[in-house]
Amino acid sequence: MPHRVAVIAPSPVSMFNLAIPEMLFGKVELDGRPGYEVIVCTADPGPVPTTGGLDLYVRHGLGALREADTVVVAGTGAPFEPEPRIVAAVRAAAASGKRIASICTGAFQLAEAGLLHGRRATTYWAHADELRNRYPEVRLQGDVLYVQDGPYVTSSGYAAGIDLCLHIIRTDYGAAVANEVARLALVAPVRPGGQTQFTHTPLPPERGTACSDTRGWAMRNLDKPLTLTDLARHAGVSVRTLTRRFHAESGVSPLQWLLHQRVERARELLETTTLPMDQVAAACGLGTADSLRAHLVRRTGLTPSAYRAQFSRLGTGTDAVTSSVA
């Protein structure tokens, strides 16, 4: 059975928020079968106003939460007026053990339900102070993309909802599946939730194509000890020009971007292969098992062996590679 996701549309709902879960979860396929079933629901089935001035017809009521495995509350243009029926339904869903997530201002509904009491959470930065003032018991992290604390996952605004959904997909099905969904949706690969929302971030969305060929070449050669000089030579420019262009397009330096890709590749290999740690480190260009350990602990809080034990997808339909790396 596919994992069932109920997306709640508060009124007036953000159309962008509402579209994100269906867009991403709907692209997950395992052996030709859908990985998720997504149902949109609301407190009053029928026309639901949106923040864009349109009405969306939502067929299902909040009873859809009873059959869901995960509940996602979309953002609303009226964040400071939590809908009591949504609050009660979300509280009941949490009590029954379901995973609860929110995008953007949907966090206000979770906070009103008491789910975030004493827990880490986030919301759109422009409303962070208001949430902090209204719910001081929430351990608000107002400058990150998304936060998971136990079964509750909250994201900041707009495109951070994409990061939240990719994080959920990675949790359920692994990094390889999540990154494939990102590729199909033409969005950035899974980004760490601790990234800042609106200041300098390790891997913001790419802007521009001047260095795209070099980024693609680097991705195909992660196992090699690439240097700034190697990247500049491939791009046919000086190191200074490469750094300037790369930062303009990717928001980070070439070496920061390269390290992020190496760690993401290591995570995929730990999830989908039984390669020894030194071979995983070599295959993604991190050099040694000690280096792999240091970078993975810094990124995930887990050692390579602990990460593999928790997220290995061998025997769950994912193709396993045990003796070589493509």
Side-chain angles (χ1 to χ4, degrees), residues 45-323:
V48 176
T50 71
T51 54
L54 303 176
D55 285 350
L56 295 178
Y57 190 89
V58 178
R59 183 176 298 109
H60 301 282
L62 296 174
L65 272 62
R66 288 192 292 270
E67 303 300 322
D69 302 299
T70 295
V71 175
V72 179
V73 183
T76 172
F80 312 143
E81 302 172 11
E83 160 60 55
R85 289 169 294 176
I86 292 178
V87 170
V90 167
R91 187 184 293 122
S96 67
K98 303 180 191 298
R99 177 171 56 195
I100 311 294
S102 67
I103 299 176
C104 194
T105 56
F108 283 82
Q109 309 277 352
L110 274 61
E112 182 70 16
L115 305 186
L116 304 181
H117 188 102
R119 293 184 180 272
R120 294 176 295 115
T122 193
T123 189
Y124 182 42
W125 65 267
H127 297 307
D129 286 343
E130 184 66 28
L131 191 143
R132 184 181 291 110
N133 292 335
R134 287 172 177 263
Y135 308 101
E137 67 278 6
V138 177
R139 295 165 54 194
L140 186 68
Q141 296 183 257
D143 189 19
V144 296
L145 292 177
Y146 59 88
V147 178
Q148 176 157 7
D149 192 330
Y152 308 122
V153 196
T154 55
S155 82
S156 57
Y158 297 102
I162 295 174
D163 296 293
L164 177 141
C165 290
L166 289 174
H167 166 73
I168 289 175
I169 294 169
R170 182 175 63 191
T171 300
D172 293 341
Y173 296 113
V177 173
N179 286 336
E180 175 64 12
V181 169
R183 187 185 69 82
L184 291 173
L186 300 177
V187 298
V190 182
R191 297 188 286 176
Q195 287 187 204
T196 172
Q197 289 183 30
F198 53 90
T199 57
H200 193 66
T201 61
L203 196 62
E206 295 173 358
R207 304 177 298 276
T209 60
C211 295
S212 60
D213 287 346
T214 297
R215 288 194 295 268
W217 173 78
M219 290 290 291
R220 295 189 297 272
N221 291 276
L222 288 177
D223 59 321
K224 298 180 175 60
L226 301 177
T227 65
L228 272 176
T229 301
D230 295 328
L231 296 171
R233 183 182 299 115
H234 182 274
V237 297
S238 68
V239 169
R240 175 178 291 185
T241 299
L242 173 81
T243 301
R244 185 178 67 252
R245 290 180 180 176
F246 209 101
H247 196 284
E249 292 183 14
S250 300
V252 292
S253 73
L255 294 185
Q256 284 176 310
W257 178 88
L258 190 60
L259 177 59
H260 180 90
Q261 302 303 337
R262 291 190 193 285
V263 174
E264 285 301 301
R265 178 59 171 156
R267 293 169 76 161
E268 288 192 21
L269 293 175
L270 289 170
E271 294 177 16
T272 61
T273 79
T274 58
L275 289 169
M277 299 307 173
D278 57 344
Q279 292 186 33
V280 171
C284 61
L286 290 175
T288 66
D290 286 342
S291 177
L292 168 65
R293 178 188 177 92
H295 287 296
L296 196 69
V297 168
R298 187 175 301 117
R299 181 67 60 82
T300 69
L302 298 173
T303 64
S305 57
Y307 186 90
R308 173 172 276 167
Q310 183 169 342
F311 294 107
S312 175
R313 301 295 161 177
L314 301 183
T316 62
T318 302
D319 292 336
V321 180
T322 57
S323 61

